[in-house]
C-alpha cells in the first residue's frame, strides 16, 4: 500500500516533497577538511583557536577559546585550518556532531573540528540547521568510528544522504524561521542566567544580614545547625525499592545542585510502611545529601524542603533535619543551599570512593539567623525569585520542544513556507 501523499516522493531519507532533492552531503559543499595537528603558541589575546570544546549550543563559544599570534596564524597554518565566513564547523572528536557557523571573527581550528564550505546549492545556515536535526545527528553518531573514543570521519559523513529543498529561497525561509526560535531560546537562556546571578547576589546579601529588608532591625545570632534542627540519619532501604508506586525515595541521586528534587521513579510500597515509618518525611522537614559520587561535591550538603506529608522516605547517605519551632524551614532551605554555606560543607568533605561529610561536621556548622519574622520575609523574597526562575525554565523547555517540532516539520518538507 502506497502511503506517500500527492506531491511527495519516497527517498533514502524518507518521504520528501517532489521538488526537493535527495543527495550526498558532498553534493552541497565545495570543501571539507579538519584543522591543524601541530602545536601552536598560546597568547592572552590574538586569533581564536577553536576546538570541539569551544562549539556548543549552535555557536562558537569565543569566551572559552585560547588564542594564538597573528604571525603563527599566517606562517604555521594551511588554508584548511582557516575557516571563512559562513563555513560550517562540525565537532568530529569529543562531543560529536555539534555545529556552528563562522561569522566575522577570525578563527583557526584544530583536528577535533571539521570545516564544511557550502557550495552554491546550499544556504549555509540551512545546511547547519539540517545537520543539527535529530535525524542527521543520529546518523552521524551511528556512523562514528573508533573502539574506545568515537570519531566522526569526514570520508564517511560526506557520503551521508540528506534531503534539501532545490530552491534556495525555501532554504532561506526555513533557516529564518528556525533561527528566530534560536534567537528566542538564546534570549531566554541569557535572562535565566541573569536572574540566577541576581538571586545568588540577593542570597549573599540577605542571608548574611549585609542587606536588611525594610522594617527589620536588631541583632542577628550565629547558631549551629544542631541549634536550629533535630536530626536523624537514614538507613539502607535498597532491598525495598520498586519502580511502581508507594513512597518516593530520596537518595543521593535525587538532589539537584539547586536543591530541587530529581524524580528517578524509585518507590517503597506502602506495605512496608511499618518498617520505614521512622524514615518518612513530614511537611517542612529538610532532607540533606551527605555523599556525592563526584569529586567536586556538587550535591554535598544540598537540602530538599518537603512540602507535603507522607510522600517521601529518606535512604542511607541522607540526613533529615527537622527545624525547631522558632526556625523558618524555607529560610533554612535557602541558607543551607546558598553558595557560601555549600562551599563550607564541601570544605568539610572527606575523600573516599564517594566523598562525604560527617553528620557531626554538618551539625556544628554555623549559620547567620535573624528573628523568625525576618527569616520568613527573607525566605519569601527568595522563594518568589525561585518561582520566577521556574516559570522561565518551563518556558525555555516548551520553546525547545517547539523548535524540535518545527525542525521535524520544516526540515522534512511536511510543512512548506514557500
Amino acid at each position: 500500500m502506497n502511503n506517500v501523499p500527492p506531491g511527495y516522493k519516497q527517498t533514502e531519507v524518507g518521504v520528501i516533497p517532489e521538488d526537493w532533492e535527495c543527495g550526498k552531503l558532498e553534493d552541497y559543499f565545495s570543501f571539507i577538511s579538519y584543522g591543524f595537528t601541530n602545536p601552536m603558541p598560546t597568547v592572552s589575546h590574538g586569533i581564536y583557536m577553536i576546538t570541539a570544546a569551544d562549539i556548543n549550543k549552535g555557536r562558537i563559544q569565543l569566551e572559552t577559546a585560547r588564542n594564538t599570534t597573528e604571525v603563527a596564524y599566517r606562517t604555521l597554518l594551511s588554508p584548511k585550518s582557516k575557516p571563512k565566513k559562513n563555513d560550517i564547523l562540525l565537532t568530529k572528536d569529543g562531543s560529536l556532531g555539534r555545529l556552528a557557523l563562522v561569522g566575522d571573527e577570525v578563527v583557526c581550528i584544530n583536528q577535533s573540528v571539521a570545516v564544511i564550505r557550502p557550495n552554491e546549492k546550499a544556504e549555509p545556515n540551512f545546511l547547519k540547521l539540517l545537520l543539527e536535526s535529530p535525524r542527521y545527528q543520529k546518523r552521524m553518531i551511528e556512523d562514528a568510528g573508533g573502539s574506545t573514543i568515537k570519531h566522526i570521519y569526514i570520508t564517511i559523513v560526506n557520503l551521508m544522504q540528506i534531503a534539501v529543498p532545490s530552491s534556495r529561497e525555501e532554504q532561506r525561509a526555513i533557516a529564518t524561521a528556525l533561527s528566530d526560535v534560536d534567537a528566542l531560546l538564546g534570549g531566554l537562556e541569557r535572562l535565566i542566567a541573569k536572574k540566577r546571578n541576581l538571586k545568588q547576589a540577593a542570597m549573599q546579601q540577605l542571608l548574611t544580614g549585609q542587606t536588611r529588608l525594610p522594617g527589620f532591625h536588631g541583632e542577628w545570632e550565629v547558631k549551629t545547625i544542631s541549634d536550629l534542627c533535630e536530626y536523624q540519619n537514614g538507613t539502607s532501604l535498597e532491598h525495598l525499592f520498586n519502580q511502581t508506586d508507594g513512597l518516593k525515595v530520596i537518595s543521593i541521586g535525587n538532589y539537584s545542585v539547586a536543591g530541587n528534587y530529581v524524580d528517578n521513579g524509585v518507590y517503597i510500597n506502602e506495605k512496608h510502611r511499618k518498617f520505614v515509618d521512622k524514615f518518612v518525611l513530614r511537611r517542612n522537614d529538610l532532607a540533606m545529601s551527605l555523599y556525592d559520587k563526584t569529586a567536586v561535591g556538587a550535591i554535598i550538603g544540598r537540602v530538599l524542603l518537603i512540602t507535603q506529608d507522607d510522600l517521601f522516605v529518606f535512604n542511607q547517605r541522607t540526613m533529615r533535619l527537622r527545624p525547631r519551632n522558632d526556625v523558618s524551614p524555607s529560610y533554612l532551605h535557602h541558607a543551607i543551599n546558598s553558595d557560601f554555606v555549600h562551599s563550607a560543607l564541601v570544605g568539610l568533605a572527606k575523600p573516599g570512593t564517594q566523598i562525604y561529610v560527617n553528620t557531626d561536621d554538618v551539625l556544628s556548622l554555623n549559620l547567620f539567623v535573624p528573628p523568625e519574622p525576618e527569616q520568613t520575609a527573607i525566605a519569601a523574597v527568595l522563594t518568589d525569585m525561585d518561582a520566577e526562575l521556574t516559570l522561565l525554565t518551563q518556558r525555555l523547555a516548551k520553546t525547545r520542544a517547539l523548535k524540535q517540532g518545527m525542525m521535524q516539520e520544516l526540515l522534512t518538507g511536511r510543512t512548506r513556507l514557500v
Side-chain angles (χ1 to χ4, degrees):
M1 183 176 180
N2 187 1
N3 293 321
V4 179
Y8 288 78
K9 60 186 178 184
Q10 183 70 51
T11 70
E12 243 184 271
V13 296
V15 177
I16 63 173
E18 286 183 343
D19 57 339
W20 281 33
E21 304 171 353
C22 180
K24 298 173 184 175
L25 177 59
E26 65 181 5
D27 296 334
Y28 298 93
F29 61 73
S30 59
F31 175 77
I32 186 170
S33 187
Y34 56 85
F36 62 82
T37 57
N38 52 298
M40 294 288 288
T42 300
V43 294
S44 57
H45 300 285
I47 306 298
Y48 294 104
M49 295 189 292
I50 305 304
T51 70
D54 304 314
I55 296 175
N56 199 7
K57 296 184 178 180
R59 70 177 183 89
I60 300 172
Q61 307 283 337
L62 295 177
E63 57 272 22
T64 66
R66 295 179 300 142
N67 303 89
T68 193
T69 65
E70 292 189 21
V71 172
Y73 176 80
R74 289 197 310 269
T75 61
L76 299 181
L77 298 179
S78 65
K80 74 170 190 174
S81 300
K82 302 175 181 179
K84 299 179 179 179
K85 183 175 182 179
N86 289 326
D87 282 353
I88 298 168
L89 302 184
L90 169 69
T91 59
K92 56 181 280 294
D93 300 324
S95 298
L96 303 182
R98 293 179 179 176
L99 293 115
L101 199 63
V102 179
D104 293 321
E105 63 274 7
V106 179
V107 301
C108 57
I109 57 171
N110 80 344
Q111 73 273 17
S112 67
V113 179
V115 56
I116 299 171
R117 187 162 296 149
N119 61 24
E120 69 283 349
K121 295 174 65 175
E123 284 290 322
N125 198 27
F126 170 83
L127 194 58
K128 171 198 173 264
L129 289 162
L130 185 75
L131 295 176
E132 284 179 331
S133 65
R135 170 187 287 176
Y136 299 110
Q137 285 284 302
K138 182 174 182 288
R139 178 63 187 274
M140 285 190 285
I141 300 302
E142 288 175 346
D143 288 345
S147 55
T148 305
I149 301 175
K150 295 292 185 181
H151 310 274
I152 290 176
Y153 295 115
I154 60 176
T155 53
I156 296 176
V157 76
N158 67 338
L159 301 177
M160 183 172 63
Q161 293 283 329
I162 61 173
V164 179
S166 54
S167 162
R168 287 191 65 163
E169 179 187 1
E170 186 169 6
Q171 293 179 35
R172 281 192 293 271
I174 293 170
T176 298
L178 292 175
S179 294
D180 287 346
V181 181
D182 277 337
L184 179 58
L185 285 169
L188 282 170
E189 287 170 348
R190 288 189 295 274
L191 180 59
I192 288 171
K194 179 181 177 181
K195 295 289 186 181
R196 281 182 177 148
N197 289 337
L198 287 171
K199 187 200 168 190
Q200 288 302 322
M203 291 174 78
Q204 181 68 37
Q205 294 291 314
L206 294 174
L207 294 170
T208 61
Q210 295 176 53
T211 297
R212 307 290 293 273
L213 294 175
F216 293 100
H217 309 283
E219 296 294 322
W220 286 28
E221 295 181 275
V222 175
K223 293 186 176 183
T224 64
I225 290 181
S226 65
D227 293 330
L228 301 168
C229 303
E230 299 173 1
Y231 79 96
Q232 181 183 348
N233 285 321
T235 192
S236 176
L237 301 173
E238 282 87 348
H239 61 290
L240 302 177
F241 287 2
N242 74 81
Q243 279 74 46
T244 307
D245 57 20
L247 295 159
K248 292 184 177 182
V249 177
I250 294 181
S251 297
I252 59 174
N254 298 109
Y255 296 81
S256 78
V257 295
N260 296 318
Y261 173 72
V262 179
D263 194 345
N264 60 356
V266 176
Y267 304 88
I268 291 178
N269 193 279
E270 283 283 353
K271 69 183 180 182
H272 302 296
R273 182 59 179 256
K274 185 175 180 181
F275 179 80
V276 303
D277 197 54
K278 66 182 293 189
F279 303 104
V280 174
L281 293 158
R282 300 195 315 222
R283 184 192 306 266
N284 292 326
D285 281 349
L286 301 170
M288 175 183 281
S289 172
L290 299 176
Y291 281 68
D292 197 326
K293 295 179 180 179
T294 68
V296 296
I299 64 165
I300 283 281
R302 297 297 187 188
V303 290
L304 307 175
L305 176 60
I306 307 304
T307 58
Q308 292 177 263
D309 288 320
D310 297 334
L311 184 62
F312 295 99
V313 59
F314 63 107
N315 193 26
Q316 63 179 340
R317 301 184 177 90
T318 286
M319 176 169 65
R320 173 171 62 198
L321 296 173
R322 181 162 289 166
R324 302 186 191 280
N325 290 335
D326 58 346
V327 180
S328 161
S330 183
Y331 177 85
L332 207 55
H333 176 245
H334 288 295
I336 296 175
N337 282 326
S338 65
D339 282 351
F340 52 93
V341 173
H342 175 249
S343 295
L345 287 167
V346 171
L348 296 171
K350 309 295 190 297
T353 306
Q354 296 178 347
I355 64 171
Y356 65 97
V357 62
N358 286 330
T359 300
D360 288 344
D361 288 338
V362 171
L363 296 174
S364 63
L365 192 69
N366 289 323
L367 298 180
F368 297 105
V369 184
E372 188 176 8
E374 191 170 1
Q375 293 178 38
T376 303
I378 291 170
V381 170
L382 297 176
T383 299
D384 286 347
M385 297 179 84
D386 278 340
E388 185 180 15
L389 276 168
T390 297
L391 288 174
L392 287 171
T393 302
Q394 290 170 349
R395 184 179 170 194
L396 179 64
K398 289 178 181 178
T399 306
R400 283 180 177 149
L402 171 65
K403 183 191 173 185
Q404 289 298 311
M406 289 177 64
M407 292 176 81
Q408 184 64 28
E409 290 294 311
L410 297 178
L411 295 173
T412 60
R414 291 181 188 173
T415 298
R416 309 290 296 274
L417 297 179
V418 296

